[in-house]
Amino acid sequence: MADGNSLQVLPSGAGYGIVIGIGGFFAALMLGITWMQNRYTAFSTHQAEEFNTASRSIKPGLIAAGIVSSWTWSATLLTSSTFAYSYGICGPMWYGATGSFQILMFAVIAIKIKANAPGAHTFPEIVLARHGKIAHITYLFNGLATNMLVGACLVLGGSQVVAALSGMNVYAANFLIPLVVAVYVIVGGLRSTFLCDYTHTVILFVAIFVFGFLMYATSDVIGSPSKFYALLVEASDTMPIARNTEGSYLTFRSVDGLIFAVDLLVAGFSTVWLDQAYWQRAIASRPETSVQAYLLGGIAWYGIPFGFATAMGLGCAALTNTPAFPTYPNALSTAQNNAGLSSPATAIALLGKGGAVLMLLLLFMAVTSSTSAELIAVSSLLTFDVYKTYFRPDSSSQRLVQVSHYGIVIYALVLATFCCILNAVGLNLTWLLTVLGVIVGGASVPVGLVLLWPRISTVAAVGAPWIGLALGLIGWFVTTVKRSGSITVDTTGDVTNAVAGNIASCVGGALVAFVLTFIFPKQHTPVHAREIERAQKIQGIVARTEKTEASSAEPTEQEGKVAEAEKAAEVSTAKEGQIEEGSKQPHSDPEAETYVPTGNELVDFLETKQMEPMDPVLAKRAGRVAVVANWVFFLIALILVPFTLFGTGYICKNPRCGAIPLT
């Protein structure tokens, strides 16, 4: 990042102040909110069901805000602007369309979870119940690999920009960012990430609106759409884009932009369908509103990369030849652009040091929000899929919460170390995002088929990800050698070379899953009592206990308790005094034959009632809505609009532009 020193407009103390100061503020805020939650409500973070799944009671608005926030990585802001600067106006459009499509597609998965696996905590648990331990280890590996790569995109990208703008040590940033976030995640669990997501999203949109209004309305440097257009026309003449129609920034016909879109589509499938953070939000949502939450979140997210990158990425090209630009009279170098510095450069050109501070705040909100989702996601994988499955199946709820705490700290430290290694060898945010699909793309479609296609065989579920990975690596390296002559960081990060590996991995894994299913159709059948009970628990089939049967003889009293619990779950204001002093902690063993009551009607209700499969009629109706929404979005946003504009070679025109002076 030495070549990013020309963008340093802030002292290193500003970087440390934002990372530690604002991070500490949110940690203190979450500590206070969590204390009040534990003190005055029936939701206790000392219970695994609340800590890891937020008691499966989050409403659609908060789920949608969490989806928007967790999908708004530093890459969303930085890389979308990079591609706008590199490929023109088509870059933000492709980024927004492909990213939103992944979220909308996951709405179909969300409803299948509620209908077929309401008792699951993680997606490898579902695989374990259906296809056994070998398949479970396969998808656990891919899930952890995805979380590690996604976490690196978040932390490394943010750290490199903080270092470029303030001179803060990039290795210190790599450690401080995940550790500061880990503090409030350890205390508040999944619900705290939703609350922070909402707060971060508000700040995120405010900052984006500030930059947008500055660019198009109030800035002395640009300040109007017409002048913005005129500057882009000038930039197209002085810095034409290769393989764009007439080298223009204002055309949708960009060959490299289309290749990038395919890369992003494959990477998006991998990062959403294999990221436990998205499964966790589906699990935490209320069954009747899970599809609504994902549809709202997907549509709301579209405007972030499209609006932000159009203003800040194209703005970087427009402002390059103005004296306010930080590297004037030079354009950004390739290394600076690939490190995601196009939007920070634009912010500095618009607001000077104030722009750099606002950009750091914006990035910090994006990085910490997404990182908190990754922390709780990995801790759930380590808790339920490693510790509980292979070491202590009969662990108590309190013990599982402790293990989750350890998992958060372990992942934060490992992620920080991994980011330092990547930085030391010269890898950046753009490289990671470009090749991510090669590494984990082979498992992205098969994991969806586990829920969406009941016929998939165990051999297919196990073999497809590994074969897809092998095909992806072969396609990636062979294409790189044939096109570029050697294998280096630069050549492997080339979008055309990487797209071959991405397609081979993702499409290969999907095709192999179907072929192996027809050749080896046998499916795993649980034989041991513990495996059968675990599968029943995940599917929402809870064994009735003698205590439960006895209580059913008193329908009036039981119905009253359930009614009270439903009311408490709706308003979330049940008092801690409802919990009897001598009540036991809930026994969270998924293989247990009995459910041990806690004495708290709300917790007992959540542990039994809401883990039942969603009503088939409601599930079918919600699934139909999700499928129709996906087809409409796909046909309009990914086929009709972009390919019409691409095929015609249309260049945006502004007939009034000629009357607007450039200075």
Side-chain angles (χ1 to χ4, degrees):
M1 290 302 296
D3 53 359
N5 288 338
S6 58
L7 293 180
Q8 182 180 339
V9 296
L10 299 172
S12 59
Y16 285 101
I18 289 176
V19 172
I20 299 176
I22 298 179
F25 168 77
F26 274 101
L29 178 65
M30 285 302 105
L31 286 171
I33 292 175
T34 302
W35 179 85
M36 288 190 290
Q37 172 187 313
N38 291 339
R39 178 67 179 84
Y40 297 110
T41 78
F43 295 116
S44 172
T45 56
H46 301 301
Q47 298 169 8
E49 199 65 28
E50 166 64 19
F51 188 88
N52 293 101
T53 69
S55 298
R56 307 172 194 263
S57 62
I58 303 297
K59 295 183 180 180
L62 206 54
I63 292 288
I67 291 168
V68 170
S69 186
S70 62
W71 198 214
T72 304
W73 306 354
S74 54
T76 303
L77 304 174
L78 300 176
T79 309
S80 61
S81 298
T82 295
F83 289 123
Y85 182 76
S86 302
Y87 308 126
I89 196 171
C90 71
M93 181 196 66
W94 282 123
Y95 203 106
T98 55
S100 288
F101 185 58
Q102 312 307 322
I103 300 174
L104 296 178
M105 282 285 288
F106 202 84
V108 181
I109 294 289
I111 200 63
K112 288 294 183 180
I113 293 173
K114 294 302 182 184
N116 300 330
H121 301 89
T122 67
F123 75 88
E125 273 191 338
I126 301 173
V127 176
L128 175 63
R130 296 191 174 194
H131 296 289
K133 289 189 175 181
I134 297 178
H136 176 253
I137 293 172
T138 296
Y139 289 92
L140 177 59
F141 166 80
N142 280 279
L144 291 173
T146 300
N147 286 122
M148 188 61 66
L149 292 170
V150 168
C153 286
L154 299 171
V155 175
L156 182 61
S159 298
Q160 289 180 337
V161 172
V162 171
L165 295 182
S166 68
M168 179 182 180
N169 186 282
V170 67
Y171 297 104
N174 283 335
F175 274 93
L176 287 174
I177 290 174
L179 290 177
V180 166
V181 178
V183 172
Y184 68 77
V185 177
I186 287 175
V187 175
L190 183 60
R191 193 178 297 272
S192 73
T193 70
F194 282 115
L195 297 175
C196 274
D197 285 347
Y198 188 88
T199 307
H200 290 176
T201 302
V202 171
I203 299 173
L204 199 70
F205 273 104
V206 169
I208 291 174
F209 280 132
V210 168
F211 284 126
F213 283 116
L214 275 170
M215 182 65 71
Y216 301 124
T218 64
S219 171
D220 295 333
V221 183
I222 296 183
S224 72
S226 294
K227 189 171 182 180
F228 185 63
Y229 173 87
L231 289 171
L232 286 176
V233 171
E234 181 184 299
S236 299
D237 294 332
T238 58
M239 305 183 302
I241 302 175
R243 305 175 80 181
N244 274 29
T245 300
E246 299 180 12
S248 176
Y249 284 87
L250 297 165
T251 181
F252 287 87
R253 176 177 279 183
S254 171
V255 176
D256 288 335
L258 182 60
I259 294 172
F260 149 73
V262 176
D263 245 345
L264 197 62
L265 188 65
V266 176
F269 267 112
S270 305
T271 52
V272 173
W273 289 42
L274 286 169
D275 190 344
Q276 169 60 21
Y278 293 91
W279 292 77
Q280 207 141 4
R281 276 156 173 70
I283 290 167
S285 65
R286 293 189 171 186
E288 64 274 12
T289 58
S290 57
V291 167
Q292 178 185 351
Y294 275 84
L295 295 182
L296 287 174
I299 297 299
W301 183 83
Y302 181 90
I304 293 178
F306 184 77
F308 182 81
T310 300
M312 305 300 283
L314 293 180
C316 184
L319 293 169
T320 296
N321 292 324
T322 61
F325 197 71
T327 62
Y328 179 81
N330 301 316
L332 289 181
S333 67
T334 301
Q336 288 172 325
N337 185 41
N338 288 339
L341 297 180
S342 57
S343 52
T346 306
I348 294 171
L350 291 174
L351 287 172
K353 290 184 178 181
V357 171
L358 185 58
M359 192 68 203
L360 286 182
L361 178 62
L362 180 63
L363 286 175
F364 187 77
M365 293 297 100
V367 171
T368 54
S369 177
S370 302
T371 303
S372 67
E374 298 303 312
L375 286 169
I376 194 69
V378 172
S379 77
S380 296
L381 292 175
L382 296 178
T383 300
F384 292 101
D385 292 290
V386 178
Y387 181 78
K388 197 172 192 303
T389 299
Y390 296 106
F391 294 97
R392 294 287 298 277
D394 299 322
S395 297
S396 67
S397 184
Q398 284 184 324
R399 180 59 180 167
L400 291 179
V401 172
Q402 291 176 350
V403 174
S404 294
H405 291 170
Y406 300 148
I408 291 170
V409 175
I410 291 171
Y411 175 63
L413 293 173
V414 172
L415 175 61
T417 305
F418 182 56
C419 290
C420 290
I421 294 172
L422 294 178
N423 186 77
V425 299
L427 300 182
N428 55 43
L429 176 64
T430 303
W431 190 92
L432 284 173
L433 190 64
T434 302
V435 306
L436 193 152
V438 178
I439 301 170
V440 294
S444 58
V445 175
V447 74
L449 293 177
V450 169
L451 270 177
L452 299 176
W453 192 42
R455 288 186 58 187
I456 186 171
S457 68
T458 298
V459 171
V462 173
W466 300 112
I467 296 175
L469 172 61
L471 293 174
L473 291 174
I474 292 171
W476 183 27
F477 290 137
V478 169
T479 303
T480 299
V481 170
K482 292 294 184 181
R483 289 190 71 253
S484 304
S486 62
I487 296 177
T488 65
V489 171
D490 291 335
T491 58
T492 53
D494 178 83
V495 290
T496 305
N497 296 339
V499 77
N502 276 284
I503 293 176
S505 181
C506 186
V507 177
L511 292 177
V512 168
F514 286 105
V515 171
L516 290 181
T517 294
F518 290 112
I519 297 176
F520 307 101
K522 186 177 180 180
Q523 295 180 323
H524 171 76
T525 302
V527 292
H528 301 294
R530 185 178 291 273
E531 293 180 353
I532 295 172
E533 290 162 5
R534 176 171 51 215
Q536 289 178 339
K537 176 69 174 178
I538 290 173
Q539 295 167 15
I541 305 172
V542 182
R544 294 176 62 85
T545 68
E546 294 181 5
K547 194 174 293 186
T548 304
E549 292 171 357
S551 65
S552 64
E554 304 172 1
T556 303
E557 179 182 355
Q558 182 67 16
E559 287 171 5
K561 288 183 178 181
V562 170
E564 290 178 11
E566 287 177 322
K567 182 178 179 181
E570 183 67 28
V571 300
S572 301
T573 56
K575 305 297 182 184
E576 188 183 39
Q578 292 175 310
I579 305 176
E580 297 177 5
E581 292 293 331
S583 63
K584 298 180 181 179
Q585 288 293 332
H587 195 285
S588 57
D589 175 19
E591 296 85 16
E593 295 181 2
T594 64
Y595 169 72
V596 180
T598 64
N600 183 315
E601 291 91 342
L602 173 60
V603 175
D604 294 340
F605 176 75
L606 292 173
E607 288 282 357
T608 56
K609 177 67 177 177
Q610 289 203 359
M611 285 191 186
E612 293 179 2
M614 187 176 177
D615 180 84
V617 175
L618 294 177
K620 186 176 181 180
R621 185 183 306 159
R624 190 180 300 117
V625 170
V627 171
V628 170
N630 273 277
W631 273 110
V632 170
F633 185 88
F634 174 77
L635 292 175
I636 294 176
L638 286 170
I639 300 296
L640 182 62
V641 172
F643 281 102
T644 298
L645 295 171
F646 185 93
T648 59
Y650 177 73
I651 300 176
C652 298
K653 303 293 184 182
N654 182 359
R656 297 176 54 205
C657 179
I660 304 297
L662 296 180
T663 58

